[in-house]
Amino acid sequence: MKPLVLVGILLAGIGGFILFRGLSYTKDKNVLEVAGLKASVEEKRSIPNWVGIVGLVGGIGLIVAGAAKPKG
């Protein structure tokens, strides 16, 4: 199998996962630090759907480009 097709399948799979299931991550943020006492907040953020759409469309494009037979 061509490397371009494999990368396209991987990218389309990740994009589809983000688009249909969603993907989130947590980020620790130090809010206050006074004399050895730390207060932090854990924020949960999600990856926007447009990232999944771009990944899915880009992956499909790579699959089509990799599967096309060269002319000549």
Side-chain angles (χ1 to χ4, degrees):
M1 196 174 260
K2 296 180 182 179
L4 199 59
V5 174
L6 289 175
V7 172
I9 290 171
L10 182 65
L11 187 61
I14 292 171
F17 183 82
I18 291 172
L19 185 61
F20 295 112
R21 296 276 300 174
L23 191 63
S24 62
Y25 62 96
T26 57
K27 182 179 179 183
D28 290 332
K29 184 177 180 182
N30 288 334
V31 178
L32 181 66
E33 186 174 345
V34 178
L37 275 162
K38 286 185 180 181
S40 62
V41 175
E42 191 174 278
E43 294 181 53
K44 186 173 183 180
R45 296 185 176 190
S46 61
I47 297 178
N49 282 342
W50 66 266
V51 174
I53 293 170
V54 169
L56 187 61
V57 170
I60 292 171
L62 287 176
I63 292 169
V64 169
K69 293 183 181 178
K71 295 179 182 178

